[in-house]
Amino acid sequence: MMASQTDFENVVNHLMFQKSIIDDDEDLQTKISRYVRIAEEMQRGTLVPSDDPFERCVAQVFELVVQQQFNPWDINLIEFSKRYMAKVRKSSDVNLIIAGKIVYMAWEILRLQSDFAVNRADRPETCELVFEGMDPAGFDLFSEPFDLSGGEALLYSEEMPIGERVRRRSERPVTLIDLLDAFEEAKKESDIKKELARFMKKYRRPDFDDKSHKESLEDDIADVWERIQRFGSGPIPASDLYLAGREDSVTVLVAMLFLAKMGKVHIWQERPPFGEIFLEVKVPWDIAHLEDAAAVEETQAEKVAVVK
Amino acid sequence: MKSERLVEAALFSAAGPVTVTELREASGLDVRTIRSALKNLTEEYNGSDRAIEIAKMGPRYAMQVKKEYSTPASRLAELSVPKDVLKTASLIAYYQPILQSKLSELLGSKVYGHVRTLDELGLIRCRPKKNSVQLTTTKKFIETFGIDARSRSEVKAWIEGELSRKNGRSKS
Amino acid sequence: MKSERLVEAALFSAAGPVTVTELREASGLDVRTIRSALKNLTEEYNGSDRAIEIAKMGPRYAMQVKKEYSTPASRLAELSVPKDVLKTASLIAYYQPILQSKLSELLGSKVYGHVRTLDELGLIRCRPKKNSVQLTTTKKFIETFGIDARSRSEVKAWIEGELSRKNGRSKS
């Protein structure tokens, strides 16, 4: 074996780190302990070739990482899987399905970032990032078989744990205050449109001078602004603003950046690079209630008060 | 399950004032029991310091907020004209007469639907002009919002006045 | 005017579950007073035999009919969720995120109609994924079913809890 002992030590250290941050998941702990044992035995040169094809594959993954000097903290999955597939095709005893699972495992163990390990259960959408550039449809063989577990009771029961709760239907006539509040909001909205028009004019590039594109961007921003308003005050996760598909998430993100540039919203991200992006409206929601918007009011006074 | 509580649940959830017959259909109780339950509930609610009362309007009963609490409470209820339609209405009132095309520049293409709704409610008037439609407020607009104005220009002036009063107040 | 009564009136008239911030805006009371009023009202309502309770859903509060009185009350209320989609809704909540194709393996092709209904009601979110659609619950789901949860994972945990509570109870 060409690989040096230090290189294996990198892999072991990396695995140990991953193990240390997943203290709430016993299954993953056990799994990683098994990988650590294999890597340690390889490091010492005491690994006995196993009858277990899975264990042999794990060993091959580590060997590949070490031989190709992949950085265990930052593995290029596409490059890695290409090389790994080339390697397993040569050895006839490897089942391709298992090989596929191994690539997945390699990603799980080596590419896994701490944030991701902790938040995995809550943030399935982050998985999309991992498969960037690859056709996710071809990855079906990696998906776990569907485990019904406790939900089976739901499937065969007549009595559902949820039911629509009965509340009052509250309607009231429109008051003057509502009309004035609506005017303030409409004014803000049209100000955004006007500011954007100015912004677009100022930064217009020759190849960007496309009226329909400009208008659609304006509409996009107005649309996203409307979505934001439906949430009321307080921080809003960007993912709650997405309606469907990648294209919409890009639209939302671009619109958010414009709105931030115009000073309408604050944007921040929890735990980069995979954490949720949040935004909060800076403009006071209800001009009639300024106590919590006093600070904003000062800086925005000229915008709020101007009525041409 | 006590009959008072069944009637209480039914009154609470009804979309409007209900008759004893409707309460009977909802609760499955007989009319006499319902009448007695209504009497007990009225004593329980109206005799206490609670913010909610049982009111009788002719043959109908309703659970409602006591008058002294109705103003603060109503802020959280849903408007009978949707808020985004109201936005369009307020801009029409302020800028009138305004072309529909101009309005859509200000607020986007959603105004076309809003204008139709407002026209149907009789709150605005649409008149063809310059390949577009000119919009103004109606007498019903003035009545609906209780604006102290006799003409379109007075509506406009009124809104301006209210806004500057409000902004003036907020700065102090 | 007692602060409990102001908050009571506001909860009663609110169009849906409301936050403490919204209650503050409606009532003009400070946040601390509102929190303490909510606590007192919850004890007052939930601790008594009344048919109405104060429910907490994550950061939101609502006045609603206690579960045991839901059926008679629902005859007068205008409910929006058809009964036959409840199973599909529960399974989505339990297994979320779940692919629509997976769900139809469990329940049959009727799920496509149910998913459309739930989507139109704003109770679930559909996102294209792997030649199918991935389904998750929304904030409105939490509010409509009165679940005390802030996130999808909490909704899931809540349902798990309800199931095990029910199973535990049925075994005893």
Side-chain angles (χ1 to χ4, degrees), chain B residues 84-154:
Chain B
D84 54 337
V85 176
L86 204 57
K87 278 192 228 167
T88 305
S90 67
L91 281 189
I92 294 172
Y94 187 79
Y95 288 114
Q96 64 180 312
I98 182 172
L99 289 178
Q100 187 171 234
S101 55
K102 190 77 214 167
L103 202 60
S104 104
E105 267 177 43
L106 291 176
L107 286 180
S109 56
K110 65 183 176 196
V111 299
Y112 297 105
H114 296 176
V115 163
R116 203 177 320 121
T117 307
L118 290 167
D119 188 26
E120 280 164 9
L121 290 168
L123 296 172
I124 59 162
R125 206 166 133 215
C126 309
R127 189 195 297 216
K129 184 150 185 172
K130 279 191 199 167
N131 302 325
S132 179
V133 177
Q134 193 185 59
L135 311 169
T136 48
T137 56
T138 60
K139 210 174 101 195
K140 195 175 169 198
F141 187 98
I142 292 174
E143 288 168 7
T144 304
F145 299 111
I147 296 172
D148 183 16
R150 282 154 199 275
S151 64
R152 282 185 247 147
S153 57
E154 278 186 35

Side-chain angles (χ1 to χ4, degrees), chain A residues 163-167, chain C residues 53 64-67 70 79 144-146:
Chain A
E164 185 171 7
R165 300 313 301 265
V166 181
R167 304 206 180 96
Chain C
E53 65 181 3
Q64 63 189 25
V65 173
K66 283 180 184 162
K67 221 173 177 176
S70 281
L79 296 184
T144 303
F145 300 115

